[in-house]
């Protein structure tokens, strides 16, 4: 594992987090630099979504110990909206349906909040429409969906595509993709993966949470971590993902003496 | 009967003046109404129907009346900039309870149609007026209707004769103004005959902040066979204004009516809506919204009477309650024994955004027919935290995200409005209201 000599982007140290008084994350350590792609794998219930929620600032989860810095700033001090404006994007494992809020209004509000944060003027109506059209094409999102309420009545695959569409609109520095591949057929998977790849550059980084190798065939990680019972128990190169695909998680549990 | 006594004395002293400044049709039921009022008084919290709002308290103040009908000292067309501008050239005013219209307004209407003062109508069409006035709004068991009938001297009428359609929405603006605390008692009478059609938007606005106002309003709506009528009421009153309004709707066969109640800003409000489906295949859409904060209260009390078979009713009320406000909703639906094939759907959904806000909801279905489709659902909840986080995770501030979600909650109520210009305008007003940008008196930027 050769680390590039770039600046640190995200640094997680000994992160512990609770939900409803129950400890879920039990000392996570992880460093991500610009340009890197990390995959986080692990059995169900091991805390992958909890980690992404904590990074995005979901107030349901309580951080009890540890530090997270993002581009040198203390991330844990920032509200979810500030984290977004700083460049963190979470593609939700379960995108939320919000009847009555149109996609257009939602995206225009989000874009303008990001611009306000950067002390820029609100986007013009024509620039906004152009941007919507351009980014919709990245994930081949139907115009009809863009004119509906947020995620309302979207199929599972459409919801995931909509997440990547929003990511394309907001151009984050760090994208966290929480099981963005689950529930996608092979065509949709390719569209989503292509979308992610088009947005990748040496300045931004991606954290891919997945169960399966198949997404990693498209979005090639340099680092693969196994999260188990709230801790990263193994880190290696892309070959680890293949090994997990083949052998499952039992050998890791054995290694841990279980 | 301490609160009632001052009004009993007032009537005894002033009945000559009241009658002189009104018309025979309005005067006819006054004495009986007075007897009924003396018997029943105002409803109090002891009455099951009024347990969330002590209406008698609204009256416990020394209000001025304009019984000798002094002319309104302002031209409402000049001072009033409506929150729903350019809706219609058919724009009429009731200032307190006095009718006011610019000469020539409504001249585009067919000659057979009457839109204007109730007093004028009952002089021009005494038989029609007598046939309808007070026929739905009965005084014997309703102290509020009795009180209004005792003191009402004028009001507003829409009369659309058989087969006539008025495409343009009619707008009535009810303004409160006064140099002292004032009470107004007004009547609305709507007669839409067989296969006729009209739409009315009626808005309430308090102009003089700092004064206390009380309005009683009794509305009777007759929707004839095959007729269509839409009634939208929007309240934008000051916090010191109390409103007690009772609306009675009677629908004949194949008729279609909308009754939509929007409380955007108020002090204390009690609305009664009573819809009777008297003819087969009549369809009614009763609904509305209330946005309440501070210590304001809104109590909508509804009753839909399925008296005959094959009628449909859709009822939906939504409330957003902030700070220490109080909301109440009662949804009584009666399906009579012979009213087979009734379809009646009711929902009441509410969001309390603080722990101090209170909502009381009471669905009350009484079904005596066996072959019917009826459903009801009532919920009281909070802002959806998952949705809130989702919006914030995209960079939207918590305040803005809450506003978006509250607005979204009201979206289907707004979508039910069948008056496009008003619908678009209301979207803006609701958003402004949730942003706290709706001035106490946004309606009269010119005064
Ligand atoms: N909101 C919540 N309330 C209670 N328990 C939760 C909540 N979210 C997650 N958990 C619990 O935390 C553990 C880890 O869940 P999660 O982070 O979703 O795992 P993964 O994404 O790896 O499948 C599970 O035991 C789950 O039941
Ligand atoms: Mg998960």
């Amino acid at each position: 594992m050769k680390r590039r000599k770039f600046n640190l982007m995200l640094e997680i140290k000994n992160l512990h987090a609770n939900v409803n008084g129950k400890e879920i994350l039990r000392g996570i350590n992880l460093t991500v630099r610009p340009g890197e792609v990390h995959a986080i794998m692990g059995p169900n219930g091991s805390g992958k979504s909890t980690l992404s929620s904590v990074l995005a600032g979901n107030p349901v989860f309580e951080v009890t110990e540890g530090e997270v810095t993002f581009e040198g700033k203390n991330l844990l001090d920032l509200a979810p909206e500030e984290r977004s404006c700083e460049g963190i994007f979470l593609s939700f494992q379960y995108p939320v349906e919000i009847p009555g809020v149109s996609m257009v209004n939602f995206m225009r509000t989000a874009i303008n909040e990001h611009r306000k944060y950067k002390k820029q003027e609100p986007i013009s109506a024509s620039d906004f429409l152009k941007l919507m059209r351009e980014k919709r094409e990245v994930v081949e999102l139907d115009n009809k969906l863009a004119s509906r309420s947020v995620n309302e009545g979207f199929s599972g695959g459409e919801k995931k595509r909509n997440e990547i569409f929003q990511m394309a609109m907001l151009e984050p520095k760090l994208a966290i993709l929480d099981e963005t591949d689950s529930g996608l057929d092979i065509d949709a998977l390719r569209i989503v993966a292509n979308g992610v790849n088009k947005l990748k550059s040496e300045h931004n980084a991606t954290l891919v949470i997945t169960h399966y190798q198949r997404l990693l065939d498209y979005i090639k990680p340099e680092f693969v971590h196994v999260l188990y019972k709230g801790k990263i128990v193994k880190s290696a190169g892309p070959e680890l993902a293949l090994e997990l695909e083949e052998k499952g998680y039992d050998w890791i549990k054995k290694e841990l003496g279980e | 009967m301490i609160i009632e006594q001052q009004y009993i004395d007032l009537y005894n002293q002033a009945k000559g003046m009241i009658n002189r400044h009104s018309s025979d049709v309005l005067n006819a039921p006054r004495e009986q109404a007075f007897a009924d009022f003396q018997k029943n008084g105002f409803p109090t919290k002891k009455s099951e129907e009024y347990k969330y709002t002590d209406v008698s308290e609204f009256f416990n103040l020394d209000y001025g009346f304009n019984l000798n009908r002094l002319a309104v000292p302002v031209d409402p067309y000049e001072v009033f900039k409506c929150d729903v501008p350019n809706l219609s050239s058919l724009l009429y005013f009731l200032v307190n309870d006095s009718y006011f219209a610019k000469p020539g307004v409504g001249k585009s209407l067919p000659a057979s149609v009457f839109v204007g003062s109730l007093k004028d109508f009952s002089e021009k069409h005494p038989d029609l007026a007598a046939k309808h006035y007070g026929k739905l709004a009965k005084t014997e068991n309703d102290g509020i209707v009795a009180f209004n009938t005792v003191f009402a001297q004028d009001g507003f009428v829409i009369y659309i004769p058989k087969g006539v359609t008025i495409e343009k929405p009619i707008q009535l603006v009810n303004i409160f103004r006064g140099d002292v605390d004032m009470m107004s008692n007004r009547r609305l009478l709507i007669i839409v005959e067989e296969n006729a059609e009209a739409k009315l938007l009626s808005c309430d606005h308090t102009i003089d902040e700092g004064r206390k106002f009380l309005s009683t309003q009794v509305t009777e709506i007759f929707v004839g066979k095959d007729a269509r009528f839409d009634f939208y009421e929007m309240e934008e009153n000051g916090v010191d204004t109390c409103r007690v309004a009772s609306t009675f709707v009677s629908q004949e066969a194949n008729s279609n009516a909308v009754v939509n109640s929007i409380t955007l800003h108020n002090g204390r409000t009690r609305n009664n809506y009573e819809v009777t489906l008297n003819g087969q295949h009549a369809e009614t859409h009763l609904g509305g919204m209330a946005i309440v904060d501070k210590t304001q209260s809104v109590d909508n009390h509804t009753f839909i009477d399925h008296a005959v078979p094959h009628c449909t009713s859709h009822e939906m009320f939504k409330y957003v309650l902030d700070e220490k406000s109080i909301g109440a909703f009662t949804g009584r639906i009666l399906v009579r024994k012979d009213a087979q094939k009734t379809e009646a759907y009711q929902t009441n959904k509410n969001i309390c955004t603080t722990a101090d806000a209170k909502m009381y909801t009471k669905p009350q279905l009484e079904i005596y027919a066996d072959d019917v489709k009826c459903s009801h659902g009532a919920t009281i909840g909070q802002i959806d935290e998952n949705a809130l986080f989702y919006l914030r995770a995209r960079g939207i501030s918590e305040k803005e995200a809450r506003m978006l979600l509250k607005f979204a909650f009201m979206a289907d109520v707004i979508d039910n409005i069948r008056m496009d210009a008003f619908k678009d305008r209301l979207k803006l007003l609701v958003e402004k209201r949730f942003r706290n940008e709706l001035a106490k008196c946004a309606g009269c930027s010119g005064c």
Side-chain angles (χ1 to χ4, degrees), chain A residues 49 93 178-179:
Chain A
S49 292
Q93 180 174 6
D178 189 359
E179 307 220 12

Side-chain angles (χ1 to χ4, degrees), chain A residues 64-80:
Chain A
T64 53
E65 217 183 314
E67 287 172 28
V68 183
T69 49
F70 181 71
E71 297 193 314
K73 293 192 181 84
N74 179 356
L75 191 69
L76 300 178
D77 272 354
L78 302 180

